[in-house]
Amino acid sequence: EPFGVGNPQPVFLTKDVYIENVQLMGKNEEHFRAKLKSKGGTWDAVAFRQTWLYGTISADIIYTINTDYWGGKERIRLNLLDYSPVQRS
């Protein structure tokens, strides 16, 4: 990872991302994971210490990009730092 002291991890903003397959995690459901869809593709995402707002279909998201190692496989995962539901009229 080319970041650390003096070179912080990049933080990204993507607007109007569709959110699907939300799964609550943690003893008190204080985390969630989801599939995010945007023009650029589909991504796995996880949000720690955040509450899922039921009824959210799309949102503006702030995130970092990380590598996830699970079951011997490596994949890209978005770590949601915050999100704001997009209101449809």
Side-chain angles (χ1 to χ4, degrees):
E1 296 177 348
F3 40 84
V5 176
N7 192 20
Q9 184 175 14
V11 176
F12 300 93
L13 164 69
T14 302
K15 293 184 172 267
D16 204 13
V17 174
Y18 286 94
I19 303 173
E20 299 180 341
N21 301 329
V22 174
Q23 297 174 333
L24 301 178
M25 304 183 311
K27 183 178 179 181
N28 298 311
E29 299 183 337
E30 66 273 24
H31 319 296
F32 67 89
R33 70 178 62 188
K35 291 273 188 197
L36 306 181
K37 289 187 176 184
S38 186
K39 297 173 196 164
T42 301
W43 303 94
D44 291 321
V46 66
F48 294 106
R49 296 174 300 284
Q50 294 190 50
T51 302
W52 171 247
L53 299 173
Y54 289 95
T56 301
I57 296 170
S58 64
D60 298 336
I61 61 170
I62 298 172
Y63 59 96
T64 59
I65 300 173
N66 292 65
T67 304
D68 183 30
Y69 301 95
W70 183 256
K73 296 181 182 179
E74 179 180 276
R75 63 182 180 205
I76 300 296
R77 181 183 73 195
L78 306 184
N79 285 339
L80 294 182
L81 304 176
D82 203 0
Y83 72 103
S84 178
V86 172
Q87 301 298 321
R88 301 276 181 218
S89 34

